[in-house]
Amino acid sequence: TRDRFATTFEAVKTEFQTLFTRLFGGGEGTIMLTKPDNLLETGVEVEVTVPGKTKKRLELLSGGERALAASALIFSLLKVKPSPLVIFDEVDAPLDGRNVERFIEVMREFGKRSQFLCITHNNLTIEASPIWFGVTMQEPGITSVIPYRTTGGQTAGRVYVQGN
Amino acid sequence: TRDRFATTFEAVKTEFQTLFTRLFGGGEGTIMLTKPDNLLETGVEVEVTVPGKTKKRLELLSGGERALAASALIFSLLKVKPSPLVIFDEVDAPLDGRNVERFIEVMREFGKRSQFLCITHNNLTIEASPIWFGVTMQEPGITSVIPYRTTGGQTAGRVYVQGN
Amino acid sequence: LRLKRVRIVGFKTFAEKTEFDLDGELVAIVGPNGCGKSNIVDAILWGLGEPKPRNLRAANATEVIFAGSQNRKAHSYAEVMLLFDNEDGSLPVDTPEVSITRRVHRNGDSEYFLNKQACRQKDIFDVLADSGLGKAGYAIVGQKEIDAALAASAEDRRAWIDEAA
Amino acid sequence: LRLKRVRIVGFKTFAEKTEFDLDGELVAIVGPNGCGKSNIVDAILWGLGEPKPRNLRAANATEVIFAGSQNRKAHSYAEVMLLFDNEDGSLPVDTPEVSITRRVHRNGDSEYFLNKQACRQKDIFDVLADSGLGKAGYAIVGQKEIDAALAASAEDRRAWIDEAA
Ligand SMILES: Nc1ncnc2c1ncn2[C@@H]1O[C@H](COP(=O)(O)OP(=O)(O)OP(=O)(O)O)[C@@H](O)[C@H]1O
Ligand SMILES: Nc1ncnc2c1ncn2[C@@H]1O[C@H](COP(=O)(O)OP(=O)(O)OP(=O)(O)O)[C@@H](O)[C@H]1O
Ligand SMILES: [Mg+2]
Ligand SMILES: [Mg+2]
């Protein structure tokens, strides 16, 4: 299992470097082992340099920078070991418009290998999804879920899917 | 100081009941003393009933419901003792469109008594403010702040204010 | 392996039987504050066997059962069924479809079913162990939890690499 | 009492002298991720005398000093000046305008000024004590902190009532 850990770590590291640069439109992200000569106990550190800035401690990143860096890490794990189901609950909330667009681009790509459910209030993310689940409380305190699909073109073509 | 605490508590409680109902468009919010016969040591509990639902523990509230209830509490404190400066850093992020509108309405009202600075990515909140501070990094890693004011009408009329 | 259908009844705000299909496309879940979006995530996590009420925003095991509303009484049990497409055989079960069902009653009794046959919680964990839906769960990010990935300790982050191995 | 002007130099990402006026109207602070919006809040909190680096997202007292960028060297000090309109006399100082200035040097030395006269941190706290800008600070809600108002203990919430008394 030591070898498996080492190979997986290297694979996730490579992916993280690529995905970080894609999500941030530049810069550098990498992961490192805290105890490289003890693979059974070692921890994993994250080090990032945001484009246009010098390398700093993770705690100094802004709210949006943290959310984006964390997303890059999660996507890199998914790349190495896809999950049949991925759920993001308002992960895009701290992101500005430009970063949401990059996030959506990467999510769409991963959406081909896994089933994504993305809870969001952000119009850009909503518009990027072919299917919506409208969640409402038509009766007070009781949740109902109403699926909509896009038929040709954008929102105008959303139809209520009967008896999903 | 016991008397002052008691009077302030009652005043904040009355305001919270009003502001909670305004922000939620219904329901009931109140605050209570944990040790009413020991005013010097007592804590303050918050109890809310969201419109259309039964009363539940605070932890069961949704992300947006928590942000809105907390805002109601902060506004009620500000009502009793205004502050010369109020800063909200992305407080509107968890709110849906309808709740953001109610939040903005209350904020504008309080904006007459205090100077409000509201950091936001939400277009509704941005449009509701007469003044914008555009914060950018024209030079990498260096922040600059550029003030804009509305002249007659909406965004089209935003002009860069020289030498603010 | 793919999650095809989710059925929820009596779990949190799902007093009515709620069922939806998933066909692999990206789904945006939208709705006003407090309407039950995060409760869907809790239902799926619970259905996958999440043992700690804390991770489901519940004080105890039975607080996930519908507690009643203005017009309805509390329910006596909560149930979630997850139906997987197992054509590729990645779940160690011999059927092209695999259903996992979890139920909890007001008295705290729990029941688990694998393809409608009663089983133990451990059996569910064994079936899901290598599927990517295991315990460390980097693939399910709850509300406000995105920060946790960076705020976590170096040791916690290591568990994700183990999970992906 | 009203905050009229803020001047920041050498604090976090404000390598250049940055100054802006406030005339009482509601201001929306907008900009991309990481451009320095929350740093403005930290600068104002620090200028008001915030003693704990932790509440300023800094590891220690000197980490708020501009640490350098691709094209610039680190600065040797950070300074924030806050100018208040004191026409209504609510600050216990005899002038129609009151300026508060805080400075910290690389070696950790701190300096405080009240109307350009050197003073101690305690003098700043005394001047601000009853102004509503005191320590409990329910009026300044940092990023991700809105939840804290509800998550706080009953005792912590009490401190806000004390502050408003
Ligand atoms: N056992 C239960 N029975 C009935 N209602 C419950 C139960 N547990 C939680 N709730 C209710 O569920 C609601 C929270 O729903 P949820 O967190 O899913 O909202 P949401 O759609 O995610 O909202 P937001 O956009 O604000 O995050 C709360 O109003 C809470 O009272
Ligand atoms: N002492 C310092 N010197 C230089 N840069 C610093 C210093 N301290 C923090 N920073 C930088 O400030 C940036 C964070 O800025 P800030 O948190 O204000 O962003 P923001 O505009 O609030 O972004 P978001 O919308 O994501 O919340 C980080 O990139 C960080 O590296
Ligand atoms: Mg939610
Ligand atoms: Mg910020």
Short mmCIF file of all heavy atoms in Angstrom, two decimals, chain C residues 94-118:
data_model
loop_
_atom_site.label_atom_id
_atom_site.label_comp_id
_atom_site.label_asym_id
_atom_site.label_seq_id
_atom_site.Cartn_x
_atom_site.Cartn_y
_atom_site.Cartn_z
N ASP C 94 -23.91 -8.99 -7.83
CA ASP C 94 -24.09 -9.64 -9.12
C ASP C 94 -25.21 -9.13 -10.01
O ASP C 94 -25.60 -9.78 -10.93
CB ASP C 94 -24.37 -11.12 -8.84
CG ASP C 94 -23.27 -11.94 -9.50
OD1 ASP C 94 -22.50 -11.30 -10.25
OD2 ASP C 94 -23.22 -13.13 -9.28
N THR C 95 -25.78 -7.98 -9.72
CA THR C 95 -26.93 -7.54 -10.50
C THR C 95 -26.58 -6.26 -11.30
O THR C 95 -25.73 -5.49 -10.86
CB THR C 95 -28.09 -7.22 -9.56
OG1 THR C 95 -27.62 -6.34 -8.53
CG2 THR C 95 -28.64 -8.47 -8.92
N PRO C 96 -27.24 -6.05 -12.45
CA PRO C 96 -26.97 -4.86 -13.27
C PRO C 96 -27.43 -3.57 -12.60
O PRO C 96 -26.98 -2.49 -12.93
CB PRO C 96 -27.75 -5.12 -14.55
CG PRO C 96 -28.76 -6.16 -14.21
CD PRO C 96 -28.24 -6.93 -13.04
N GLU C 97 -28.36 -3.70 -11.67
CA GLU C 97 -28.79 -2.55 -10.86
C GLU C 97 -28.63 -2.93 -9.40
O GLU C 97 -28.90 -4.06 -9.02
CB GLU C 97 -30.27 -2.26 -11.11
CG GLU C 97 -30.55 -1.45 -12.34
CD GLU C 97 -32.01 -0.97 -12.36
OE1 GLU C 97 -32.79 -1.37 -11.47
OE2 GLU C 97 -32.34 -0.20 -13.27
N VAL C 98 -28.22 -1.96 -8.60
CA VAL C 98 -28.07 -2.23 -7.17
C VAL C 98 -28.80 -1.14 -6.41
O VAL C 98 -28.55 0.05 -6.63
CB VAL C 98 -26.59 -2.24 -6.75
CG1 VAL C 98 -26.45 -2.37 -5.24
CG2 VAL C 98 -25.83 -3.35 -7.46
N SER C 99 -29.71 -1.56 -5.53
CA SER C 99 -30.38 -0.53 -4.70
C SER C 99 -29.92 -0.65 -3.26
O SER C 99 -29.72 -1.75 -2.74
CB SER C 99 -31.89 -0.69 -4.79
OG SER C 99 -32.33 -1.76 -3.99
N ILE C 100 -29.70 0.51 -2.64
CA ILE C 100 -29.31 0.59 -1.24
C ILE C 100 -30.39 1.39 -0.53
O ILE C 100 -30.73 2.48 -0.98
CB ILE C 100 -27.95 1.30 -1.11
CG1 ILE C 100 -26.84 0.42 -1.67
CG2 ILE C 100 -27.66 1.68 0.33
CD1 ILE C 100 -25.49 1.09 -1.70
N THR C 101 -30.94 0.83 0.53
CA THR C 101 -32.01 1.54 1.26
C THR C 101 -31.65 1.62 2.74
O THR C 101 -31.13 0.67 3.30
CB THR C 101 -33.34 0.78 1.11
OG1 THR C 101 -33.57 0.58 -0.29
CG2 THR C 101 -34.49 1.56 1.72
N ARG C 102 -31.91 2.79 3.31
CA ARG C 102 -31.68 2.97 4.75
C ARG C 102 -32.94 3.51 5.36
O ARG C 102 -33.61 4.35 4.79
CB ARG C 102 -30.51 3.93 4.98
CG ARG C 102 -30.20 4.15 6.46
CD ARG C 102 -28.97 5.02 6.64
NE ARG C 102 -28.63 5.18 8.06
CZ ARG C 102 -27.56 5.85 8.50
NH1 ARG C 102 -26.75 6.43 7.63
NH2 ARG C 102 -27.30 5.96 9.79
N ARG C 103 -33.26 3.01 6.56
CA ARG C 103 -34.47 3.45 7.26
C ARG C 103 -34.15 3.63 8.74
O ARG C 103 -33.35 2.88 9.30
CB ARG C 103 -35.55 2.38 7.09
CG ARG C 103 -36.97 2.92 7.21
CD ARG C 103 -37.98 1.79 7.12
NE ARG C 103 -38.16 1.33 5.75
CZ ARG C 103 -38.65 0.13 5.44
NH1 ARG C 103 -38.97 -0.72 6.42
NH2 ARG C 103 -38.81 -0.22 4.18
N VAL C 104 -34.73 4.66 9.36
CA VAL C 104 -34.59 4.81 10.82
C VAL C 104 -35.96 5.09 11.39
O VAL C 104 -36.75 5.83 10.79
CB VAL C 104 -33.58 5.94 11.16
CG1 VAL C 104 -34.12 7.30 10.82
CG2 VAL C 104 -33.19 5.89 12.63
N HIS C 105 -36.25 4.50 12.54
CA HIS C 105 -37.56 4.66 13.19
C HIS C 105 -37.42 5.59 14.39
O HIS C 105 -36.32 5.81 14.90
CB HIS C 105 -38.08 3.28 13.63
CG HIS C 105 -38.32 2.38 12.46
ND1 HIS C 105 -39.52 2.32 11.78
CD2 HIS C 105 -37.47 1.53 11.82
CE1 HIS C 105 -39.42 1.46 10.78
NE2 HIS C 105 -38.17 0.97 10.79
N ARG C 106 -38.53 6.10 14.85
CA ARG C 106 -38.55 7.05 15.99
C ARG C 106 -37.83 6.47 17.21
O ARG C 106 -37.21 7.21 17.98
CB ARG C 106 -40.01 7.33 16.40
CG ARG C 106 -40.67 8.44 15.65
CD ARG C 106 -40.28 9.82 16.15
NE ARG C 106 -40.65 10.82 15.15
CZ ARG C 106 -39.91 11.86 14.86
NH1 ARG C 106 -38.78 12.06 15.50
NH2 ARG C 106 -40.27 12.73 13.94
N ASN C 107 -37.91 5.15 17.38
CA ASN C 107 -37.28 4.56 18.59
C ASN C 107 -35.78 4.37 18.39
O ASN C 107 -35.12 3.80 19.26
CB ASN C 107 -37.96 3.23 18.94
CG ASN C 107 -37.71 2.20 17.86
OD1 ASN C 107 -37.06 2.48 16.84
ND2 ASN C 107 -38.23 0.99 18.07
N GLY C 108 -35.27 4.80 17.23
CA GLY C 108 -33.83 4.70 17.01
C GLY C 108 -33.41 3.46 16.23
O GLY C 108 -32.28 3.37 15.77
N ASP C 109 -34.31 2.51 16.03
CA ASP C 109 -33.96 1.30 15.26
C ASP C 109 -33.61 1.67 13.83
O ASP C 109 -34.33 2.44 13.19
CB ASP C 109 -35.14 0.34 15.22
CG ASP C 109 -35.30 -0.39 16.55
OD1 ASP C 109 -34.40 -0.20 17.43
OD2 ASP C 109 -36.30 -1.11 16.72
N SER C 110 -32.52 1.09 13.33
CA SER C 110 -32.10 1.33 11.95
C SER C 110 -32.26 0.06 11.13
O SER C 110 -32.07 -1.03 11.65
CB SER C 110 -30.62 1.71 11.91
OG SER C 110 -30.46 3.06 12.22
N GLU C 111 -32.60 0.22 9.85
CA GLU C 111 -32.66 -0.93 8.95
C GLU C 111 -31.91 -0.58 7.68
O GLU C 111 -31.94 0.57 7.22
CB GLU C 111 -34.12 -1.21 8.57
CG GLU C 111 -34.99 -1.68 9.72
CD GLU C 111 -36.45 -1.81 9.25
OE1 GLU C 111 -36.78 -2.84 8.63
OE2 GLU C 111 -37.22 -0.83 9.45
N TYR C 112 -31.22 -1.58 7.12
CA TYR C 112 -30.50 -1.39 5.85
C TYR C 112 -30.92 -2.49 4.89
O TYR C 112 -31.17 -3.62 5.32
CB TYR C 112 -29.00 -1.49 6.08
CG TYR C 112 -28.46 -0.41 7.01
CD1 TYR C 112 -28.48 -0.59 8.38
CD2 TYR C 112 -27.97 0.79 6.49
CE1 TYR C 112 -28.03 0.40 9.24
CE2 TYR C 112 -27.52 1.79 7.34
CZ TYR C 112 -27.56 1.59 8.71
OH TYR C 112 -27.12 2.58 9.54
N PHE C 113 -31.03 -2.14 3.60
CA PHE C 113 -31.43 -3.14 2.60
C PHE C 113 -30.52 -3.03 1.40
O PHE C 113 -30.23 -1.92 0.94
CB PHE C 113 -32.87 -2.91 2.16
CG PHE C 113 -33.88 -2.98 3.27
CD1 PHE C 113 -34.16 -1.84 4.04
CD2 PHE C 113 -34.52 -4.17 3.58
CE1 PHE C 113 -35.07 -1.90 5.08
CE2 PHE C 113 -35.44 -4.24 4.62
CZ PHE C 113 -35.71 -3.10 5.38
N LEU C 114 -30.10 -4.17 0.90
CA LEU C 114 -29.30 -4.23 -0.32
C LEU C 114 -30.13 -5.02 -1.32
O LEU C 114 -30.45 -6.19 -1.08
CB LEU C 114 -27.97 -4.95 -0.02
CG LEU C 114 -26.95 -5.01 -1.15
CD1 LEU C 114 -26.50 -3.61 -1.53
CD2 LEU C 114 -25.75 -5.83 -0.70
N ASN C 115 -30.53 -4.37 -2.44
CA ASN C 115 -31.46 -5.01 -3.38
C ASN C 115 -32.66 -5.61 -2.65
O ASN C 115 -33.03 -6.76 -2.85
CB ASN C 115 -30.74 -6.10 -4.20
CG ASN C 115 -29.87 -5.49 -5.29
OD1 ASN C 115 -30.00 -4.31 -5.61
ND2 ASN C 115 -28.97 -6.29 -5.84
N LYS C 116 -33.24 -4.80 -1.79
CA LYS C 116 -34.45 -5.12 -1.03
C LYS C 116 -34.26 -6.24 0.00
O LYS C 116 -35.22 -6.63 0.65
CB LYS C 116 -35.61 -5.47 -1.98
CG LYS C 116 -35.99 -4.35 -2.95
CD LYS C 116 -37.37 -4.58 -3.54
CE LYS C 116 -37.93 -3.52 -4.46
NZ LYS C 116 -37.04 -2.71 -5.23
N GLN C 117 -33.05 -6.75 0.16
CA GLN C 117 -32.81 -7.76 1.20
C GLN C 117 -32.21 -7.08 2.43
O GLN C 117 -31.23 -6.33 2.30
CB GLN C 117 -31.77 -8.79 0.72
CG GLN C 117 -32.10 -9.47 -0.58
CD GLN C 117 -33.24 -10.46 -0.39
OE1 GLN C 117 -33.35 -11.06 0.68
NE2 GLN C 117 -34.07 -10.61 -1.41
N ALA C 118 -32.77 -7.37 3.59
CA ALA C 118 -32.25 -6.77 4.82
C ALA C 118 -30.78 -7.14 4.99
O ALA C 118 -30.36 -8.24 4.68
CB ALA C 118 -33.05 -7.27 6.03
#
